Amino acid sequence: MSFPLLNEQMDVIRSGAVEVLPEGEIVQKIERSIRTNKPLNIKLGCDPSRPDLHIGHAVVLHKLRQFQDLGHQAILIVGDFTAMIGDPTGRSKTRPALTLEETRENGQTYFNQATRVLASKRVKMVYNSDWLARMNFQEVIALAARYTVSQMLEREDFHQRFNREEPISLHEFLYPLAQAMDSVFVESDIELGGTDQKFNLLVGREIQRQYNMEPQGVITTPLLEGTDGVEKMSKSLGNYIGLNDIPRDMFGKTMSIPDKLIARYFRYGAWAAEDDIRAMEQGLADGSVHPRDAKVKTAMSIVERYYGERAAQQSLEEFERIFVKKDIPDEIENMTIEYSDTSVPVIDVLMLTQLTASKGEARRLIQQGGVYVNGTRVEDIATVVDLAQEMLFKVGRRRFLNVRAELKAAE
């Protein structure tokens, strides 16, 4: 195959990246690839500690897609084995362990989600349990001997926990080494990751060197803040926009972001053209572009990226009906719950329908004025509704559900 010229490739590789390390080595790898007409192995690992991906994950997936479009081999490693360890990156305490069955189950959904960004026919997906689970204890000891405790403590979160005399389990030291072995087994030329993964990626370079391999290059991408504008995007924090979110939710969640994030979401969520990004940034800075208009453009661009132009336009129209014209969606899901009586406390309805994750969350939403039944705000957390007939529940600004109750069968 024919690869683009070196300068063309490097322009793409640098775009949207935080660091390209060491750039000179990556240039040499690209030059050799062009000369030998052989694609590079570009590695990206993801741990299936949860079953869903979000647009924060898509930032680095997009970088992998760029390498695919340049003609290189994308290797997506589903870390079903390393997820049992739990990546300690950014953690102030040890992560809870998962079973291999749990991580495999989560990992099954990853390929379909990731290929909403990647070209499915040009990606090789592998599970790292295929090699890590086969390592015996002697091999693990030999691997651990290739890296020192002092080197591990150079990692900021380990260093901080050590200084605060907080526990660090020995198995957490094995995580970067296990990730590094992934690079050895797939013969990684370049590994991608978020900025929080820099330490792990550099360990991969060192371990490859220990196994007499040419060390991989490292490219880091930004971490996208969640819709709250504070923490990085995370399912556990509830501040995420999922790759599997329906267009209406994807649009609505984007419209809820703080104004300070509009340009970042346009750049890293929608991956807009650089000229368009600069124009938006300039317009927001000088006041010639209203934040709401910029937010609408960003939300439509994100929905269009995953669902197409028609879905983006429909999402805008529906959003305006709901929040500008104070209307309700055209299509609302119906649900029947089983209960001991058709008179049901609103808090129980929210729990049973999974409109909230807990009774505590249900109470908070009611107290904050975020729950409506048939268009009337619920003021009292002790409110009971008669669900012999269907009622419309609205939670927050975007969630609607028609609910009725039927009596539980006698046991």
Side-chain angles (χ1 to χ4, degrees), residues 41-54:
N41 287 333
I42 314 299
K43 171 198 170 191
L44 172 63
C46 52
D47 275 359
S49 53
R50 290 178 176 270
D52 300 314
L53 298 177
H54 51 65

Side-chain angles (χ1 to χ4, degrees), residues 187-248:
E187 299 180 348
S188 169
D189 291 305
I190 297 173
E191 183 170 10
L192 312 179
T195 52
D196 60 341
Q197 288 292 310
K198 180 178 177 180
F199 179 89
N200 291 349
L201 308 185
L202 293 176
V203 173
R205 282 176 54 82
E206 178 60 28
I207 295 302
Q208 281 182 310
R209 192 179 286 112
Q210 294 278 341
Y211 280 84
N212 298 316
M213 296 177 64
E214 181 181 277
Q216 64 187 12
V218 166
I219 297 175
T220 61
T221 57
L223 301 179
L224 189 62
E225 297 89 340
T227 54
D228 58 358
V230 179
E231 303 285 350
K232 77 172 184 178
M233 191 171 289
S234 167
K235 284 279 290 184
S236 60
L237 295 175
N239 63 354
Y240 68 98
I241 300 173
L243 294 187
N244 280 341
D245 278 352
I246 61 175
R248 180 180 69 205

Side-chain angles (χ1 to χ4, degrees), residues 43-49 77-88 95-100 103-104 126-133 135 143 171-183 191 197 200:
K43 171 198 170 191
L44 172 63
C46 52
D47 275 359
S49 53
I77 296 181
V78 177
D80 59 334
F81 193 89
T82 42
M84 293 192 297
I85 303 173
D87 185 359
R95 284 182 182 267
L98 300 173
T99 66
L100 185 60
T103 59
R104 273 275 176 162
V126 292
Y127 290 88
N128 66 7
S129 62
D130 290 346
W131 51 84
L132 294 179
M135 292 180 69
L143 171 61
H171 79 281
E172 293 181 82
F173 282 172
L174 295 178
Y175 186 95
L177 298 178
Q179 182 172 330
M181 287 305 295
D182 294 346
S183 295
E191 183 170 10
Q197 288 292 310
N200 291 349

